PDB file of all heavy atoms in Angstrom:
ATOM      1  N   GLN A  95     -15.427  34.753  13.645  1.00 86.00           N
ATOM      2  CA  GLN A  95     -14.982  34.207  14.923  1.00 86.00           C
ATOM      3  C   GLN A  95     -15.671  34.910  16.087  1.00 86.00           C
ATOM      4  O   GLN A  95     -16.046  34.273  17.072  1.00 86.00           O
ATOM      5  CB  GLN A  95     -13.468  34.357  15.049  1.00 86.00           C
ATOM      6  CG  GLN A  95     -12.681  33.373  14.205  1.00 86.00           C
ATOM      7  CD  GLN A  95     -12.769  31.957  14.758  1.00 86.00           C
ATOM      8  OE1 GLN A  95     -12.235  31.654  15.812  1.00 86.00           O
ATOM      9  NE2 GLN A  95     -13.454  31.092  14.039  1.00 86.00           N
ATOM     10  N   GLU A  96     -15.849  36.206  15.990  1.00 88.00           N
ATOM     11  CA  GLU A  96     -16.540  36.952  17.039  1.00 88.00           C
ATOM     12  C   GLU A  96     -17.968  36.460  17.189  1.00 88.00           C
ATOM     13  O   GLU A  96     -18.469  36.273  18.304  1.00 88.00           O
ATOM     14  CB  GLU A  96     -16.523  38.442  16.716  1.00 88.00           C
ATOM     15  CG  GLU A  96     -15.126  39.061  16.682  1.00 88.00           C
ATOM     16  CD  GLU A  96     -15.168  40.511  16.248  1.00 88.00           C
ATOM     17  OE1 GLU A  96     -16.287  41.069  16.139  1.00 88.00           O
ATOM     18  OE2 GLU A  96     -14.100  41.093  16.023  1.00 88.00           O
ATOM     19  N   GLN A  97     -18.638  36.232  16.069  1.00 90.00           N
ATOM     20  CA  GLN A  97     -20.016  35.746  16.119  1.00 90.00           C
ATOM     21  C   GLN A  97     -20.082  34.335  16.687  1.00 90.00           C
ATOM     22  O   GLN A  97     -21.000  34.000  17.439  1.00 90.00           O
ATOM     23  CB  GLN A  97     -20.627  35.808  14.721  1.00 90.00           C
ATOM     24  CG  GLN A  97     -20.776  37.216  14.180  1.00 90.00           C
ATOM     25  CD  GLN A  97     -21.386  37.252  12.793  1.00 90.00           C
ATOM     26  OE1 GLN A  97     -21.617  36.235  12.164  1.00 90.00           O
ATOM     27  NE2 GLN A  97     -21.637  38.467  12.307  1.00 90.00           N
ATOM     28  N   LEU A  98     -19.090  33.499  16.323  1.00 92.00           N
ATOM     29  CA  LEU A  98     -19.052  32.143  16.856  1.00 92.00           C
ATOM     30  C   LEU A  98     -18.853  32.153  18.365  1.00 92.00           C
ATOM     31  O   LEU A  98     -19.427  31.316  19.080  1.00 92.00           O
ATOM     32  CB  LEU A  98     -17.950  31.341  16.177  1.00 92.00           C
ATOM     33  CG  LEU A  98     -18.235  30.861  14.749  1.00 92.00           C
ATOM     34  CD1 LEU A  98     -16.987  30.233  14.144  1.00 92.00           C
ATOM     35  CD2 LEU A  98     -19.392  29.854  14.724  1.00 92.00           C
ATOM     36  N   LYS A  99     -18.061  33.083  18.871  1.00 94.00           N
ATOM     37  CA  LYS A  99     -17.867  33.160  20.313  1.00 94.00           C
ATOM     38  C   LYS A  99     -19.150  33.573  21.018  1.00 94.00           C
ATOM     39  O   LYS A  99     -19.447  33.097  22.127  1.00 94.00           O
ATOM     40  CB  LYS A  99     -16.726  34.123  20.647  1.00 94.00           C
ATOM     41  CG  LYS A  99     -15.360  33.526  20.370  1.00 94.00           C
ATOM     42  CD  LYS A  99     -14.238  34.363  20.930  1.00 94.00           C
ATOM     43  CE  LYS A  99     -12.899  33.640  20.735  1.00 94.00           C
ATOM     44  NZ  LYS A  99     -11.759  34.400  21.294  1.00 94.00           N
ATOM     45  N   LEU A 100     -19.927  34.441  20.396  1.00 94.00           N
ATOM     46  CA  LEU A 100     -21.227  34.805  20.964  1.00 94.00           C
ATOM     47  C   LEU A 100     -22.145  33.580  20.999  1.00 94.00           C
ATOM     48  O   LEU A 100     -22.864  33.354  21.983  1.00 94.00           O
ATOM     49  CB  LEU A 100     -21.866  35.929  20.149  1.00 94.00           C
ATOM     50  CG  LEU A 100     -21.170  37.284  20.177  1.00 94.00           C
ATOM     51  CD1 LEU A 100     -21.896  38.280  19.285  1.00 94.00           C
ATOM     52  CD2 LEU A 100     -21.069  37.821  21.607  1.00 94.00           C
ATOM     53  N   GLN A 101     -22.111  32.795  19.925  1.00 94.00           N
ATOM     54  CA  GLN A 101     -22.924  31.580  19.883  1.00 94.00           C
ATOM     55  C   GLN A 101     -22.471  30.595  20.961  1.00 94.00           C
ATOM     56  O   GLN A 101     -23.295  30.020  21.678  1.00 94.00           O
ATOM     57  CB  GLN A 101     -22.837  30.923  18.498  1.00 94.00           C
ATOM     58  CG  GLN A 101     -23.666  29.650  18.384  1.00 94.00           C
ATOM     59  CD  GLN A 101     -23.414  28.917  17.081  1.00 94.00           C
ATOM     60  OE1 GLN A 101     -22.865  29.469  16.135  1.00 94.00           O
ATOM     61  NE2 GLN A 101     -23.810  27.654  17.031  1.00 94.00           N
ATOM     62  N   TYR A 102     -21.155  30.405  21.054  1.00 94.00           N
ATOM     63  CA  TYR A 102     -20.608  29.478  22.051  1.00 94.00           C
ATOM     64  C   TYR A 102     -21.008  29.916  23.458  1.00 94.00           C
ATOM     65  O   TYR A 102     -21.485  29.108  24.267  1.00 94.00           O
ATOM     66  CB  TYR A 102     -19.087  29.428  21.921  1.00 94.00           C
ATOM     67  CG  TYR A 102     -18.398  28.726  23.074  1.00 94.00           C
ATOM     68  CD1 TYR A 102     -18.439  27.346  23.191  1.00 94.00           C
ATOM     69  CD2 TYR A 102     -17.715  29.463  24.049  1.00 94.00           C
ATOM     70  CE1 TYR A 102     -17.811  26.702  24.258  1.00 94.00           C
ATOM     71  CE2 TYR A 102     -17.087  28.826  25.111  1.00 94.00           C
ATOM     72  CZ  TYR A 102     -17.134  27.447  25.204  1.00 94.00           C
ATOM     73  OH  TYR A 102     -16.530  26.808  26.263  1.00 94.00           O
ATOM     74  N   PHE A 103     -20.831  31.196  23.759  1.00 95.00           N
ATOM     75  CA  PHE A 103     -21.169  31.710  25.092  1.00 95.00           C
ATOM     76  C   PHE A 103     -22.650  31.498  25.384  1.00 95.00           C
ATOM     77  O   PHE A 103     -23.022  31.118  26.495  1.00 95.00           O
ATOM     78  CB  PHE A 103     -20.812  33.198  25.183  1.00 95.00           C
ATOM     79  CG  PHE A 103     -21.029  33.779  26.557  1.00 95.00           C
ATOM     80  CD1 PHE A 103     -19.999  33.773  27.486  1.00 95.00           C
ATOM     81  CD2 PHE A 103     -22.250  34.318  26.910  1.00 95.00           C
ATOM     82  CE1 PHE A 103     -20.200  34.305  28.759  1.00 95.00           C
ATOM     83  CE2 PHE A 103     -22.461  34.850  28.169  1.00 95.00           C
ATOM     84  CZ  PHE A 103     -21.435  34.847  29.107  1.00 95.00           C
ATOM     85  N   HIS A 191     -15.419  38.150  24.344  1.00 91.00           N
ATOM     86  CA  HIS A 191     -14.136  37.626  23.858  1.00 91.00           C
ATOM     87  C   HIS A 191     -13.229  37.220  25.017  1.00 91.00           C
ATOM     88  O   HIS A 191     -12.582  36.163  24.984  1.00 91.00           O
ATOM     89  CB  HIS A 191     -13.442  38.671  22.988  1.00 91.00           C
ATOM     90  CG  HIS A 191     -12.111  38.235  22.458  1.00 91.00           C
ATOM     91  ND1 HIS A 191     -11.977  37.398  21.366  1.00 91.00           N
ATOM     92  CD2 HIS A 191     -10.843  38.495  22.899  1.00 91.00           C
ATOM     93  CE1 HIS A 191     -10.698  37.164  21.145  1.00 91.00           C
ATOM     94  NE2 HIS A 191      -9.977  37.818  22.059  1.00 91.00           N
ATOM     95  N   GLU A 196     -10.378  29.994  25.625  1.00 90.00           N
ATOM     96  CA  GLU A 196      -9.999  29.781  24.230  1.00 90.00           C
ATOM     97  C   GLU A 196      -9.915  28.296  23.865  1.00 90.00           C
ATOM     98  O   GLU A 196     -10.377  27.882  22.801  1.00 90.00           O
ATOM     99  CB  GLU A 196      -8.664  30.467  23.946  1.00 90.00           C
ATOM    100  CG  GLU A 196      -8.335  30.573  22.470  1.00 90.00           C
ATOM    101  CD  GLU A 196      -9.273  31.485  21.713  1.00 90.00           C
ATOM    102  OE1 GLU A 196      -9.815  32.438  22.328  1.00 90.00           O
ATOM    103  OE2 GLU A 196      -9.477  31.263  20.505  1.00 90.00           O
TER     104      GLU A 196
END
Side-chain angles (χ1 to χ4, degrees):
Q95 285 288 291
E96 296 175 9
Q97 295 180 354
L98 284 173
K99 284 191 175 181
L100 294 178
Q101 180 188 344
Y102 168 75
F103 184 91
H191 179 80
E196 193 66 29

